[in-house]
Amino acid sequence: MLHGWAQASIVGVTEATTHAVVKLNAGFDDYPNHVAKAVQLLLKSGIEGPYAIALGSDAYTGVVETTEHGGYPLLDHLRKILEGPVVWAPGVTGAVVVSLRGGDFLFESGQDLSIGYSHHDADDVHLYIEESFSFRVATPEAAVSLQP
């Protein structure tokens, strides 16, 4: 849950982070500088890598389609800075750089997956699947939001 879910009182990664937002320019030429700045903020906070970046649909398309001076793909350059993946995340506004070291973001399952009976008719039996879960940011310093 990168942006959280206010109706369920779930604070997302971008709301919980203690870092200032890194402002993105309109073009993609400066993305390596922005991502490097985000990684530097994480390193200064003692958050080690590798790192990943989740890009919204427009940002992902722009990164994949862009080559830097000399023809080097921007996508590959970002992977080298992060030492990790570049991920398409259509629900993200802008981008979010996160640490992949583990333990910073927690998925909490409330109960096991259960199958229940709803009803039946002459032809079909209708069942449902139920599971409760939540998300929690354990280390707010482990992410940086990049916004236009």
Side-chain angles (χ1 to χ4, degrees):
M1 297 215 121
L2 293 173
H3 294 303
W5 187 17
Q7 297 87 340
S9 300
I10 296 174
V11 176
V13 173
T14 58
E15 293 91 10
T17 184
T18 57
H19 300 290
V21 171
V22 173
K23 293 291 183 187
L24 296 170
N25 297 343
F28 293 96
D29 291 337
D30 290 331
Y31 260 61
N33 295 333
H34 299 314
V35 172
K37 182 176 181 179
V39 167
Q40 182 183 35
L41 289 169
L42 293 169
L43 286 169
K44 283 184 177 180
S45 295
I47 307 297
E48 295 184 19
Y51 308 99
I53 188 169
L55 296 168
S57 293
D58 292 340
Y60 186 82
T61 301
V63 165
V64 169
E65 292 176 347
T66 300
T67 56
E68 298 179 284
H69 303 291
Y72 192 74
L74 177 57
L75 180 66
D76 291 340
H77 190 175
L78 296 182
R79 286 181 180 146
K80 287 185 183 254
I81 294 168
L82 297 162
E83 297 179 357
V86 176
V87 179
W88 174 62
V92 170
T93 302
V96 183
V97 174
V98 296
S99 172
L100 296 179
R101 67 181 181 170
D104 297 314
F105 311 103
L106 306 174
F107 174 84
E108 296 179 334
S109 179
Q111 68 179 13
D112 291 333
L113 182 69
S114 34
I115 299 174
Y117 168 81
S118 174
H119 63 280
H120 70 276
D121 56 32
D123 297 317
D124 298 306
V125 174
H126 298 267
L127 304 175
Y128 64 89
I129 297 175
E130 183 176 85
E131 180 181 23
S132 64
F133 61 88
S134 183
F135 170 82
R136 184 167 54 97
V137 177
T139 313
E141 301 84 14
V144 177
S145 180
L146 293 83
Q147 300 297 317

